[in-house]
């Protein structure tokens, strides 16, 4: 069949049949051509493979380098969540992630930092490891809670909360948490595959989980992709990843953007835009309440029960 006919999506790229009541044309994954049957698609594969692969890569890059979704808000103060997970805590009683400012403020109001009530649902914290593990299991099994699953994975990985250290079980739970939507689980699982820590080293799986988390807005995953591309000399792709992460508030990515500017990879105008984006994102996460909380975090470390 001629190339002109193959480029016409109104007919089958292999046999040239047009769509009718009896013939339904189905798009190839690349959206460049259509086929009337699986047989025609297989027959045309050798001619279309290169163009299809190129287009699929272009479509994936559009998704990969698209602006990330907005940061989630704290359910109490409604400010964007802090960039560092160390400034948030997960409350297994209600499944909410609370910023450090609201958590410490609530504890100070109650004047009861040893067993404070949850700032959101007002339930008291459990007083034993076994009860806490039971709550995590319940939320994982009944609510399909990705953060609870991620928390259990951490308990098995390090042998915490009275659970045995079991790397295989931890990897199983990290995989499940990633599928449920935990970006932190995806990043940790990716790092394990990159380093061969508890699993067979697998770069494809490292990229799969890292790219998945980056697309959904995880700045650390985005930074890791920048480092991966930079190590392979792909400076243009690395620059894009670092710029996205920096504009989302990642300090390490901002440092790499500064280095890229000094190396001539970034222009002055590009760096200025990144600096403004980074500052705007950082400012949106600040509050007096959170500043006070960070000062008080050291003596209140026991408040932060669960995955960081």
């Amino acid at each position: 069949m001629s190339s002109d006919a193959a480029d016409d999506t109104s007919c089958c790229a292999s046999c040239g049949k047009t769509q009718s009541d009896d013939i339904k044309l189905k798009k190839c994954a690349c959206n460049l051509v259509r086929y009337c049957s699986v047989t025609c698609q297989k027959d045309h594969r050798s001619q279309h493979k290169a163009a299809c692969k190129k287009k699929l890569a272009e479509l994936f890059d559009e998704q990969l380098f698209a602006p990330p979704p907005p940061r989630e808000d704290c359910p109490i103060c409604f400010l964007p969540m802090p960039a560092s997970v160390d400034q948030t805590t997960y409350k297994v009683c209600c499944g909410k992630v609370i910023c450090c400012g609201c958590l410490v403020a609530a504890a100070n109001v109650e004047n009861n930092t040893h067993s404070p009530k949850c700032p959101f649902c007002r339930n008291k914290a459990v007083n034993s490891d076994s009860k806490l593990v039971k709550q995590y299991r319940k939320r994982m099994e009944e609510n399909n809670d990705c953060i609870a699953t991620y928390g259990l994975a951490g308990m098995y990985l390090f042998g915490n909360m009275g659970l045995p250290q079991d790397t295989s079980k931890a990897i199983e739970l990290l995989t499940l948490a990633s599928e449920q939507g935990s970006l932190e689980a995806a990043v940790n699982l990716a790092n394990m595959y990159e380093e061969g820590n508890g699993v067979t080293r697998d770069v494809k799986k490292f990229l799969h989980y890292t790219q998945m988390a980056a697309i959904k807005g995880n700045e650390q995953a985005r930074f890791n992709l920048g480092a991966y591309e930079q190590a392979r000399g792909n400076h243009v792709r690395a620059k894009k990843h670092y710029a996205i992460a920096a504009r989302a508030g990642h300090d390490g990515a901002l440092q790499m953007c500064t280095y890229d500017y000094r190396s001539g990879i970034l222009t002055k105008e590009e760096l200025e835009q990144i600096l403004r984006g980074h500052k705007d994102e950082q400012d949106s996460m600040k509050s007096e309440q959170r500043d006070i909380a960070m000062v008080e975090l050291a003596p209140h470390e026991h408040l932060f029960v669960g995955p960081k």
Side-chain angles (χ1 to χ4, degrees):
M1 189 175 181
S2 69
S3 59
D4 290 340
D7 292 338
D8 185 1
T9 56
S10 65
C11 63
C12 176
S14 180
C15 68
K17 290 180 181 178
T18 56
Q19 183 160 296
S20 65
D21 292 339
D22 298 326
I23 301 173
K24 301 296 182 183
L25 300 179
K26 293 184 178 180
K27 287 184 179 180
C28 178
C30 65
N31 291 328
L32 291 175
V33 295
R34 296 188 182 192
Y35 298 103
C36 64
S37 65
V38 174
T39 301
C40 277
Q41 186 172 15
K42 289 181 178 178
D43 290 344
H44 193 248
R45 179 170 175 75
S46 59
Q47 301 175 54
H48 179 59
K49 183 177 180 180
C52 183
K53 187 176 181 180
K54 180 182 177 183
K55 185 61 177 179
L56 287 175
E58 291 172 355
L59 291 172
F60 180 75
D61 275 359
E62 287 180 13
Q63 182 184 23
L64 181 62
F65 292 111
R71 193 182 299 277
E72 291 187 5
D73 294 339
C74 172
I76 297 177
C77 67
F78 299 110
L79 289 175
M81 281 293 189
S84 173
V85 292
D86 291 331
Q87 296 178 33
T88 67
T89 193
Y90 170 70
K91 306 303 290 184
V92 69
C93 46
C94 55
K96 298 295 183 182
V97 179
I98 311 294
C99 79
C100 59
C102 292
L103 188 76
V104 173
N108 289 341
V109 167
E110 294 175 18
N111 196 26
N112 178 14
T113 59
H114 293 286
S115 184
K117 291 180 180 178
C118 172
F120 188 83
C121 70
R122 309 307 295 156
N123 284 320
K124 268 195 171 183
V126 294
N127 55 11
S128 73
D129 290 349
S130 61
K131 289 180 180 179
L132 185 66
V133 171
K134 186 177 180 180
Q135 282 188 323
Y136 270 79
R137 289 193 188 281
K138 183 176 181 180
R139 285 209 64 85
M140 180 186 73
E141 295 168 358
E142 296 183 7
N143 301 92
N144 201 36
D145 190 323
C146 64
I147 306 180
T149 307
Y150 175 51
L152 278 172
M155 295 175 197
Y156 277 109
L157 187 63
F158 299 108
N160 293 338
M161 301 295 178
L163 293 178
Q165 187 172 14
D166 188 335
T167 303
S168 296
K169 182 66 174 179
I171 293 168
E172 176 188 333
L173 290 171
L174 282 173
T175 304
L176 176 59
S178 300
E179 294 169 352
Q180 291 173 329
S182 171
L183 306 187
E184 288 76 18
V187 171
N188 279 275
L189 189 60
N191 291 340
M192 295 176 77
Y193 277 114
E194 181 185 32
E195 299 166 4
N197 181 14
V199 292
T200 303
R201 190 171 184 273
D202 191 324
V203 176
K204 287 185 178 180
K205 287 186 177 180
F206 158 73
L207 285 174
H208 168 72
Y209 287 110
T210 308
Q211 289 170 342
M212 178 178 70
I215 289 170
K216 293 180 179 180
N218 186 279
E219 299 88 19
Q220 186 58 49
R222 182 69 66 178
F223 178 83
N224 292 349
L225 286 177
Y228 172 85
E229 296 290 1
Q230 186 179 38
R232 284 151 184 78
N234 301 325
H235 298 296
V236 174
R237 294 179 69 84
K239 177 182 77 170
K240 291 181 180 180
H241 286 304
Y242 287 141
I244 294 172
R247 283 193 291 265
H250 194 285
D251 292 333
L254 183 63
Q255 292 178 0
M256 294 308 301
C257 288
T258 303
Y259 173 80
D260 284 347
Y261 167 66
R262 292 171 180 168
S263 303
I265 298 172
L266 272 177
T267 66
K268 182 180 179 180
E269 290 73 19
E270 287 174 327
L271 181 61
E272 287 176 349
Q273 290 178 359
I274 291 168
L275 287 168
R276 281 195 293 268
H278 181 271
K279 183 180 184 302
D280 290 344
E281 187 68 18
Q282 289 284 347
D283 287 347
S284 73
M285 296 180 281
K286 289 181 179 179
S287 73
E288 182 180 355
Q289 188 168 283
R290 290 179 181 178
D291 291 340
I292 294 171
M294 291 307 296
V295 175
E296 298 188 20
L297 274 179
H300 292 311
E301 282 182 343
H302 57 278
L303 291 177
F304 291 80
V305 179
K308 294 292 198 277

